[in-house]
Every structure is written in C-alpha cells, then in structure tokens.
Amino acid sequence: MISKVGIIGEGKMGTGIFNYLLDFNYELVWICSPVADTEKINRQFGKKIKRSLDAGIIDQSRFDKLIQTHISKNPGDLHDCDLVIEAIPEIAAVKKELFLTLDHLVKPGAIFTSNSSSINPSEITPPGDRGFQFSCLHFFYPVQLKNIAEINTTKKTNGSTVIALESFLQSIQRHFITLDERNSFVLNKIFLDIQNEAYLIVKADHCSVPQMDHLVRQTLFSFGIFDFCDSVGIDTMLASVTNYTRDYPHRDYYASFIAGLNKLVMEGKFGIKSQEGFYKYPMEEVLINDFPASDSIAEHLRQTWLSASKRFAAQTHLPIEDMNRAIKEYFGTENGPFG
Ligand code: NAD
C-alpha cells in the first residue's frame, strides 16, 4: 500500500511531479537540494493552497491535509515514505550516492524509484534487499500534460513492486508501459532518431532551426525538435543521447548531433534554463519563410518516426495497442504509427 510519497529535487521534473501529485490523495514529502530556499518554497506553497481553498478548488478537509505537506532539505524526512521518486540531475554517480544514503534513512520495504531519462536502474540501485524494490519511474515533461510514464525494471525488481507502481500510476490517472531495462526509455529513443535526422538536415543547410520546428509542428507533432531540446535542457539531452547510443552498433550515426549538443553545453547554453540553447530567450517572434524541400523533409521525418516506432515495438514485444497509445501520448498526436 502506498500512502506517503517522497519526491526529491526542486527542478523542472521534481516540481512538476510534486504539483501533479497534489491533486491526488497522497501524503507528500518534498526534499529540495541543500542550496534551495525552502522557506520561500514553503511560503509559496502555503499561499497556493490557501488560494485554492478561497477559490473553492479544494475544500477545508483537503486543505487541512495539504497543509501537512512537508517540504525540507533533509532526506531523513523521507524515513516513513512508502514510495520515493528521485528527480535530481542526470548524473549516475550522484544518483547512486543519494540512493545509498537513502537506503539507511528510509524504512525497509519502501519502494525507491528514479525519474532518470537515460540511466538504467541497475546502475544506481543500492546493494542488498532494496534492489527488490527499485525501478525507474519515468515521467515526461510537462508532467501535467503528458499522460504516459515508463516503469523500467532491473532483473532484481520484484513482482509486488511492479504491481504497486502500476496501481500507483493508475491511481494518479497516468497511462504507463512497463519494460525491463534492456528496453528502457523506448519513447525517447524513438524520438532520438527523428531529432538526429532533423539535426542533420539543418546542419546540411536545407532549412534553419526555426523553419524545422515550424514544419514539425505544422505536419507532425505538437512541439518542435529544437524547442523541445531547449525545454528539456541541453545538458540533460546530451547525457541522455550519450547514454542511449553508447551500446548502439551504429552510434557514429548520432555523433554529429552529440557534438552539436556538447558544443552548446561547453558554451554554457543549456536551453531555456540558461536563456540560450538552440534559441535565445525570451524567444523573439520571427517570420518563418517557406522553403523548397519542406514537403519531402516532412515526409522523410514521418517515415523515420514510423520505422523507429516499428523497430522498437518489435524489440520490446509490447502489445501494439499499448505501444501505439504510449507513442500518441508522448508525441501529442491524434493517430499513432499503428493507427
Ligand atoms: P533539473 O536540473 O531541472 O533539476 C534537478 C534538481 O535537483 C535541481 O533543482 C537541483 O537543485 C536538485 N538537486 C540536486 N542534487 C540534489 C539532492 N542531493 N537532493 C535534492 N535535490 C537535489 O533537472 P530535471 O530536468 O528536473 O531532471 C531531473 C531528472 O528527471 C533527471 O534524471 C532527468 O534526466 C529526468 N527527466 C528530465 C526531463 C526533462 O524534460 N527535463 C524529462 C524526463 C525526465
């Protein structure tokens, strides 16, 4: 039974997961980094739920429960949580260290999960019995809008942990796919093939970054390729793409995209969070001109989407309807690659 949930990290994903879970009947503990201004975060949270009470969005009994939400910098406050969701930066060594510490602080039997978007859970699982209750629980950005999550398990993750995580996701109205870590992060990997093709097309000067994003939004998905990278964070993208492709026999195919992301990171351009990535922020209105090969580029990217989806569907052995729904939710399309 999961009734108390801990979230770690006050960045984009930690904040998104915390805010999303507020709408459900869980007791929450939110652990922020040592440098966070938790007094300010607590004050803002208090004001937010008071506004919800005054506006009739929540009733007094819900307010009384939410006001007990615990926000601090002390990981020891997670001690009686049933589920812990970690959302700190995408650095395996840092995550591993955190889970080692938590293993001593949190009650035995609690489930530990990482929101990692590219690190296999077995790389960061603490040794010992906690491994039976460990998996990745991968929400997507923006958490409020993307109705899909991935559970990525290790060889050690036990059946009751998977069942508990699946029921948790059902209780918070999230669709999910469950895969063992050999097939982890499948949705991002499908998108990577399209991102890579788009990057190569822009690099070959067939169109500009804004033209490509405009074309993709008009013809394929609800977001562009490069504004997506900027909103995820170029550093997170670089870590993810490097991890995904590490064992690909054809990894050279992604080398140019990885080099492009690396260059941006070296220049301190992390995307929206540093006000510059592929774009500068606040983003200026630019006039997007049509360009000659737009129809064939859109068709090429659509074919890339279809073939990557088919390849990963075959590799994961997920039921086609589950895969199709997950892809539709992820890309925000009315139809998936399988109808
Ligand atoms: P982020 O850089 O925005 O936030 C990370 C937060 O963790 C920061 O607020 C930092 O201060 C905090 N932190 C660092 N060490 C901490 C510690 N020891 N204890 C508590 N807090 C600590 O990163 P993010 O985009 O929120 O990503 C978090 C995780 O989610 C990563 O693993 C990432 O790969 C994954 N993810 C990101 C996205 C995305 O779109 N950005 C999508 C899905 C998954």
Side-chain angles (χ1 to χ4, degrees):
M1 266 298 275
I2 294 172
S3 61
K4 191 164 184 175
V5 180
I7 301 119
I8 311 177
E10 79 283 14
K12 237 167 65 182
M13 294 308 291
T15 305
I17 295 166
F18 174 76
N19 284 327
Y20 182 71
L21 292 181
L22 288 174
D23 287 342
F24 301 91
N25 204 19
Y26 289 99
E27 202 180 330
L28 300 180
V29 179
W30 189 15
I31 303 301
C32 304
S33 69
V35 296
D37 184 349
T38 39
E39 268 181 35
K40 185 173 167 197
I41 297 173
N42 265 301
R43 239 185 354 261
Q44 285 170 338
F45 176 69
K47 279 188 191 160
K48 176 184 157 128
I49 57 170
K50 181 73 173 60
R51 271 199 307 273
S52 297
L53 177 69
D54 293 345
I57 297 167
I58 57 171
D59 61 18
Q60 187 64 47
S61 73
R62 185 73 191 131
F63 177 84
D64 292 344
K65 184 148 191 199
L66 284 175
I67 201 75
Q68 288 165 27
T69 299
H70 191 78
I71 304 174
S72 86
K73 299 186 209 180
N74 177 11
D77 294 342
L78 296 164
H79 65 99
D80 59 348
C81 284
D82 306 301
L83 167 66
V84 173
I85 305 170
E86 164 273 308
I88 70 166
E90 190 69 348
I91 306 168
V94 178
K95 288 182 189 285
K96 190 171 181 169
E97 180 74 32
L98 175 68
F99 282 120
L100 273 175
T101 308
L102 293 180
D103 194 26
H104 299 293
L105 297 175
V106 184
K107 68 181 181 185
I111 297 173
F112 284 7
T113 63
S114 171
N115 190 57
S116 171
S117 49
S118 68
I119 300 164
N120 277 340
S122 59
E123 286 178 50
I124 51 177
T125 306
D129 286 353
R130 190 74 66 175
F132 298 119
Q133 292 120 24
F134 194 98
S135 114
C136 274
L137 182 56
H138 181 204
F139 292 92
F140 294 88
Y141 180 80
V143 180
Q144 295 281 353
L145 299 182
K146 292 243 167 133
N147 184 0
I148 184 71
E150 284 175 337
I151 299 173
N152 294 314
T153 63
T154 73
K155 276 187 193 150
K156 225 174 151 181
T157 315
N158 66 22
S160 51
T161 297
V162 175
I163 290 169
L165 289 175
E166 291 180 344
S167 339
F168 171 70
L169 290 172
Q170 274 158 354
S171 76
I172 62 166
Q173 294 161 22
R174 291 283 89 158
H175 294 308
F176 57 85
I177 49 176
T178 305
L179 290 166
D180 78 58
E181 66 181 5
R182 282 169 306 172
N183 289 310
S184 55
F185 315 117
V186 65
L187 298 170
N188 284 356
K189 287 175 180 170
I190 292 172
F191 193 25
L192 171 58
D193 278 14
I194 306 155
Q195 291 164 329
N196 193 56
E197 280 299 307
Y199 182 83
L200 295 175
I201 290 166
V202 168
K203 196 150 184 269
D205 274 339
H206 293 298
C207 62
S208 66
V209 162
Q211 280 175 322
M212 175 59 84
D213 277 354
H214 183 70
L215 177 69
V216 169
R217 276 195 301 271
Q218 296 261 304
T219 58
L220 289 169
F221 313 131
S222 55
F223 45 84
I225 303 283
F226 298 102
D227 54 22
F228 174 92
C229 294
D230 279 358
S231 83
V232 167
I234 303 296
D235 49 340
T236 305
M237 282 293 304
L238 175 63
S240 301
V241 177
T242 308
N243 285 339
Y244 297 151
T245 54
R246 185 167 290 134
D247 298 325
Y248 282 3
H250 59 301
R251 63 182 167 280
D252 287 353
Y253 164 61
Y254 304 91
S256 174
F257 183 38
I258 291 176
L261 293 171
N262 193 42
K263 182 168 180 292
L264 289 174
V265 168
M266 289 298 146
E267 292 167 355
K269 296 174 183 169
F270 300 117
I272 293 173
K273 60 187 166 189
S274 69
Q275 308 212 312
E276 188 167 357
F278 285 105
Y279 294 93
K280 280 191 175 156
Y281 300 88
M283 206 190 272
E284 283 171 14
E285 282 280 320
V286 281
L287 189 66
I288 313 271
N289 299 317
D290 286 342
F291 55 101
S294 59
D295 287 349
S296 60
I297 289 175
E299 185 50 28
H300 176 69
L301 294 179
R302 178 181 300 284
Q303 290 306 326
T304 305
W305 182 52
L306 293 176
S307 60
S309 300
K310 283 181 189 158
R311 194 171 82 248
F312 282 103
Q315 190 176 309
T316 57
H317 302 295
L318 268 182
I320 284 299
E321 59 274 22
D322 290 4
M323 190 70 172
N324 205 42
R325 188 177 55 198
I327 295 173
K328 278 198 299 188
E329 291 291 345
Y330 179 91
F331 287 100
T333 54
E334 211 160 291
N335 292 311
F338 308 106

